[in-house]
Every structure is written in structure tokens, then in C-alpha cells.
């Protein structure tokens, strides 16, 4: 069974000290805002606001200001005026998503740079940053000016992995890069925890997957990019559904006595394809290993894995992984794929909280949680970012040995298989299929919200 954790959520009333000066204090409560700040840089100020309010905050690039003000128990409108001074701002309420704050010098539509809040639960690789730069930027010169070493690069995407000597150098570089006009995005390199383990069974009432590979339709075959661990051999009958495996995180062994998470997700996808296609499908799976020999992966490898899947022809991508780190680089990469008509389906997380899990919570991604007997699974994440709920368990086989896998990663894989199988069988558009899935697989009410 899958290990279930409880995430520590940030409260509105938490008081965060600014990194620029330990005496700076900003407390944003629903019943009043208080501040005592001196020479508080705008990037740090907006980061604090995003963290404590949960708003999505956007700022016009190259906008600078140091706030020096003291007040107690003011309204949000008055507090923003006092903190932002002569800068313009607009707070836009949203019905089913966080409100949006735009801070700008010229026009509201020029406030395009997203300010990321601080997530205390988001683990990241020590002394590393990911940066996305504008075309033509001399990344080598930029890294040298920061005292950084480039440890990973993708010139096609313009994204780079920078390593620094210590935490102070990392945070100093982060502040500089956030105000650099050549930089489109900068993030920590967030860590995604190991995928949950499967449970070996002595026997199972459900047999192995039996599926026929059909010829592709007039518009070609659906290709599922499975961004996960490596996939082991599925046997002669099912291996024909697997395209050549890719790896962006180094070599890993796809053999052994244990069941790899990627193998479990591949079989779950194929079983769901068979259900949707009544025993046959033209869809195939492109496995992309983003874990390598490590038990964890990072937003850097997930970004490279998504791009490898897209370059390999995937038109639907399964992401049965996630974490609490909100990466603007990963978000922009997914948005770019969606603009090309690629579908992304991700697991909502196995910690029963409403805290967003990424990449599931990015706009446009179909976030899938787990249900048991028509009810929300007791370990499953919920919240406004979740779009659908699917069965939470699957029986898969490694050779002749059955295994039980459970959790929202199974739910996402099941939904991916149904989507790909339906597209193969009916030729419907992805938009039609996704709309039908959300109607057919609604999210059950969270029992705690009904108390």
C-alpha cells in the first residue's frame, strides 16, 4: 500500500521575515494587514504577498522599488497602496481559482512575470537554480558573472541548470536573475519524491492484460508519453505497444525482482486502453525515464522528459508524479505543448489536502485524483485544481507475478489509457474526449467539507 503523508499547509496568519533584512515584517491576515518594513525590495515583497495570500502575482519586468512603511490592521487595498507607493496595481478576483494581482509601471497587460510564493514544503536541490533565458543570451557569460557552474543545458529550450557554491550565493543569484531583462524565468530545482511502491500478491482474480494492436487510423495513432521511471519488459504480447525507451536522467536498470513504477503505469494504461477500445487499440506508449538510477527526480529532469516525449511524437503525456514545488519553467513548457495540441494528464497527489500538486495544478493539465467505490479515496488530494477522479488501484504483472498498485498515479494512468483508447477507437478530438471524461469521472465531494 502506498505511504501516505500529511502536508503542512501555510496559514494566512504566518509572519515571514524578509530575507533582505531580518527586521522586516509583513503579516497578511483576512481581518487586517500589518507591516513594518525598511528598504524592502519589490521582488521579496511580492513573494511575501503571494505566499501569504495565495494570489497569483504578476509584475511588469524591470520594475523596481524599495518599500519603507509601517502600519497595522489595514484593509488589503490600503495596504497595497502603502506598500507599492507610486506603482500601479490591479487585484482581479476569480471565482474558481486564486485572485490575481498585477503590479505595473505602464499598463496592466505588461505585468507578465509571475512571482512565485514561498512553499515551505517544496524540497529543492541545494545550491541549484534553473533559468530560462531569451534567445541570443550569452548564458556562459551570465553564469560566470554569477559565479555559477552550468551543470545542465538545453539550448533548444533555452533552459539551464546552474550550481552555486553555497546557499547565500544561490539566493543572491536568484534575486539578481529575477530582475534581469534577459531572463524569462528562474526557479529552484524542485525535488519529486520517490514513486510509491507496489505490493506483491500471491494470486489475483484479474489476469494479465490482453490487447490487440490495431492499424493506425487516418490521422495516425495516439502516442502516450509516459514520463516516469524506466519500464521493464511487458512480455512478447505487450512489448509491441512500447516504443523505444528514452532516458534523460542517465542509465538505469529496467530489470530485477521488483516492479518499477513506470512498468505499473504502462500496464495500467494498456489495460484502460483495452477497456476503451474493446480489446484492441492502435495507441502505443513512449516510455521516458526521468529517474535514472536515483530514487527521486527533479523539475529539471521532468522538463527534459516532457520535451523528449514531445520530440518523440507523443500527443498525450502521462505524469504520474508530482511535488509541491511550483516551477515557472515547467509550467511554460507544458503551456507550449498544449498550444501544439498535446494533452497532459497528471496525478493530484496522495496527501489528503487541498494544497496544489505540480505539475497537476498547472493551467490546462487534467489533474486526476483517486476514488474508491464512488467516494474520494481517504489518502487522495482534493481542491479546486482537481478536474476528475478515477479508480485508484490496478493489478499488473511482472512476468507471471501479480502486483497491486494504488494511488492517484494509478488514477492518472487509467484516465490516460481511457483517453488514448477512446481517441484510437472513435477519432474524436482531444477536446471532446477530455470534456466527456470530466463529465463521466466527476470528483467526489471531500467528506471533511461536509462536516
Amino acid at each position: 500500500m502506498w505511504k501516505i503523508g500529511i502536508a503542512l499547509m501555510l496559514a494566512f496568519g504566518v509572519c515571514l521575515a524578509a530575507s533582505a533584512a531580518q527586521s522586516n515584517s509583513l503579516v497578511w491576515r483576512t481581518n487586517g494587514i500589518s507591516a513594518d518594513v525598511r528598504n524592502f525590495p519589490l521582488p521579496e515583497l511580492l513573494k511575501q504577498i503571494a505566499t501569504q495570500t495565495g494570489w497569483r502575482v504578476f509584475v511588469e519586468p524591470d520594475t523596481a522599488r524599495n518599500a519603507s512603511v509601517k502600519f497595522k490592521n489595514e484593509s488589503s487595498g490600503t495596504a497595497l497602496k502603502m506598500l507599492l507607493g507610486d506603482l500601479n496595481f490591479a487585484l482581479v478576483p476569480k471565482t474558481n481559482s486564486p485572485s490575481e494581482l498585477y503590479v505595473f509601471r505602464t499598463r496592466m497587460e505588461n505585468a507578465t512575470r509571475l512571482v512565485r510564493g514561498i512553499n515551505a514544503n517544496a524540497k529543492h536541490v541545494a545550491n541549484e537554480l534553473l533559468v530560462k533565458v531569451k534567445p541570443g543570451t550569452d548564458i556562459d557569460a551570465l553564469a560566470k558573472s554569477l559565479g555559477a557552474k552550468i551543470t545542465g543545458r538545453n539550448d533548444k529550450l533555452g533552459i539551464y541548470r546552474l550550481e552555486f557554491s553555497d546557499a547565500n550565493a544561490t539566493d543572491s543569484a536568484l534575486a539578481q536573475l529575477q530582475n534581469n531583462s534577459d531572463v524569462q524565468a528562474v526557479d529552484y530545482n524542485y525535488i519529486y519524491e520517490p514513486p510509491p511502491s507496489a505490493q506483491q500478491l500471491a494470486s489475483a482474480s484479474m489476469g494479465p492484460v490482453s490487447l490487440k494492436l490495431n492499424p493506425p487510423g487516418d490521422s495516425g495513432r495516439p502516442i502516450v508519453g509516459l514520463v516516469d521511471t524506466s519500464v521493464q519488459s511487458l512480455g512478447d504480447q505487450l512489448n509491441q505497444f512500447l516504443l523505444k525507451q528514452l532516458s534523460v536522467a542517465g542509465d538505469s536498470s529496467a530489470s530485477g525482482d521488483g516492479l518499477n513504477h513506470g512498468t505499473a503505469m504502462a500496464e495500467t494504461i494498456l489495460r484502460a486502453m483495452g477497456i476503451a477500445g474493446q480489446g484492441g487499440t492502435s495507441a502505443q506508449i513512449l516510455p521516458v525515464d526521468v529517474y535514472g538510477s536515483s530514487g527521486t527526480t527533479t523539475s529539471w529532469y521532468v522538463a527534459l522528459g516532457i520535451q523528449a516525449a514531445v520530440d518523440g511524437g507523443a500527443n498525450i503525456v502521462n505524469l504520474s508524479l508530482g511535488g509541491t514545488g511550483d516551477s515557472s519553467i515547467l509550467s511554460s513548457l507544458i503551456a507550449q505543448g498544449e498550444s501544439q495540441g498535446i494533452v497532459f494528464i497528471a496525478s493530484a497527489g496522495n496527501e489528503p489536502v487541498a494544497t496544489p500538486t505540480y505539475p497537476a495544478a498547472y493551467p490546462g493539465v487534467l489533474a486526476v485524483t483517486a476514488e474508491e467505490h464512488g467516494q474520494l479515496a481517504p489518502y487522495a488530494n482534493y481542491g479546486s485544481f482537481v478536474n476528475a477522479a478515477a479508480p485508484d488501484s490496478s493489478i499488473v504483472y511482472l512476468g507471471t507475478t501479480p502486483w497491486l498498485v494504488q494511488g492517484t498515479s494509478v488514477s492518472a494512468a487509467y484516465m490516460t489509457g481511457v483517453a488514448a483508447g477512446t481517441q484510437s477507437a472513435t477519432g474524436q478530438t482531444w477536446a471532446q474526449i477530455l470534456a466527456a471524461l470530466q463529465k463521466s469521472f466527476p470528483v467526489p465531494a471531500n467528506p471533511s467539507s461536509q462536516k
Side-chain angles (χ1 to χ4, degrees), residues 81-96:
K81 289 179 182 178
M82 298 176 73
L83 290 166
L84 298 176
D86 57 358
L87 295 177
N88 302 306
F89 70 89
L91 181 59
V92 182
K94 296 289 183 177
T95 303
N96 297 316

Side-chain angles (χ1 to χ4, degrees), residues 6 11 29 52 148 164 208 272 306 308 310 313 360 376 402 408 419 427 447 449-450:
I6 304 297
R29 295 191 178 96
Q52 298 195 48
F164 298 85
I306 289 173
V310 172
L376 186 71
T408 63
S449 67
Q450 299 175 340

Side-chain angles (χ1 to χ4, degrees), residues 69-317:
V69 66
K70 182 177 181 179
F71 57 82
K72 293 184 70 174
N73 297 326
E74 295 288 355
S75 66
S76 59
T78 300
L80 288 170
K81 289 179 182 178
M82 298 176 73
L83 290 166
L84 298 176
D86 57 358
L87 295 177
N88 302 306
F89 70 89
L91 181 59
V92 182
K94 296 289 183 177
T95 303
N96 297 316
S97 60
S99 297
E100 295 178 348
L101 174 65
Y102 295 85
V103 179
F104 51 97
R105 292 175 288 102
T106 56
R107 297 184 302 172
M108 175 178 163
E109 51 265 38
N110 291 335
T112 57
R113 176 168 290 175
L114 178 63
V115 177
R116 302 281 168 172
I118 304 167
N119 190 326
N121 297 316
K123 298 179 182 178
H124 57 84
V125 180
N127 306 331
E128 284 193 5
L129 295 176
L130 305 186
V131 60
K132 179 177 175 63
V133 298
K134 294 179 180 178
T137 300
D138 188 341
I139 184 61
D140 297 288
L142 179 59
K144 184 177 180 180
S145 71
L146 298 168
K149 177 182 179 181
I150 301 176
T151 58
R153 61 192 305 151
N154 187 305
D155 295 322
K156 177 182 177 180
L157 298 176
I159 61 174
Y160 303 90
R161 182 178 173 185
L162 305 183
E163 182 180 23
F164 298 85
S165 57
D166 54 39
N168 289 335
T170 306
D171 291 340
S172 174
L174 177 63
Q176 294 180 58
L177 291 169
Q178 286 174 332
N179 290 299
N180 189 316
S181 59
D182 289 329
V183 175
Q184 293 182 324
V186 58
D187 303 306
Y188 291 114
N189 188 14
Y190 293 109
I191 297 173
Y192 294 155
E193 295 297 333
S197 301
Q199 178 184 355
Q200 185 174 341
L201 302 175
S203 62
S205 58
M206 182 180 293
V209 176
S210 179
L211 192 61
K212 177 184 177 183
L213 181 61
N214 296 331
D218 294 337
S219 59
R221 67 176 77 245
I223 296 178
V224 176
L226 176 57
V227 179
D228 212 290
T229 72
S230 61
V231 175
Q232 296 146 296
S233 174
L234 304 182
D236 293 340
Q237 196 263 329
L238 294 183
N239 279 342
Q240 62 183 327
F241 292 92
L242 298 181
L243 300 176
K244 184 178 179 180
Q245 185 162 236
L246 306 176
S247 177
V248 298
D251 294 333
S252 65
S253 173
S255 61
D257 297 331
L259 177 74
N260 290 355
H261 188 262
T263 306
M265 296 304 100
E267 285 199 37
T268 301
I269 290 170
L270 291 175
R271 192 179 292 278
M273 284 180 183
I275 294 172
Q278 298 183 343
T281 184
S282 67
Q284 290 181 293
I285 297 174
L286 172 61
V288 183
D289 179 12
V290 296
Y291 285 82
S293 59
S294 174
T296 63
T297 189
T298 66
S299 48
W300 168 255
Y301 287 123
V302 173
L304 296 184
I306 289 173
Q307 189 59 43
V310 172
D311 290 343
N315 40 38
I316 178 170
V317 176

Side-chain angles (χ1 to χ4, degrees), residues 1-52:
M1 302 298 287
W2 289 16
K3 183 178 180 181
I4 302 170
I6 304 297
L8 176 64
M9 298 178 65
L10 291 173
F12 265 17
V14 69
C15 177
L16 298 173
S19 60
Q22 291 184 351
S23 60
N24 285 335
S25 174
L26 176 63
V27 180
W28 203 287
R29 295 191 178 96
T30 55
N31 61 350
I33 297 95
S34 300
D36 185 359
V37 297
R38 295 291 181 271
N39 296 317
F40 201 3
L42 183 65
E44 290 299 321
L45 171 63
L46 296 182
K47 186 187 297 184
Q48 297 283 355
I49 293 175
T51 298
Q52 298 195 48

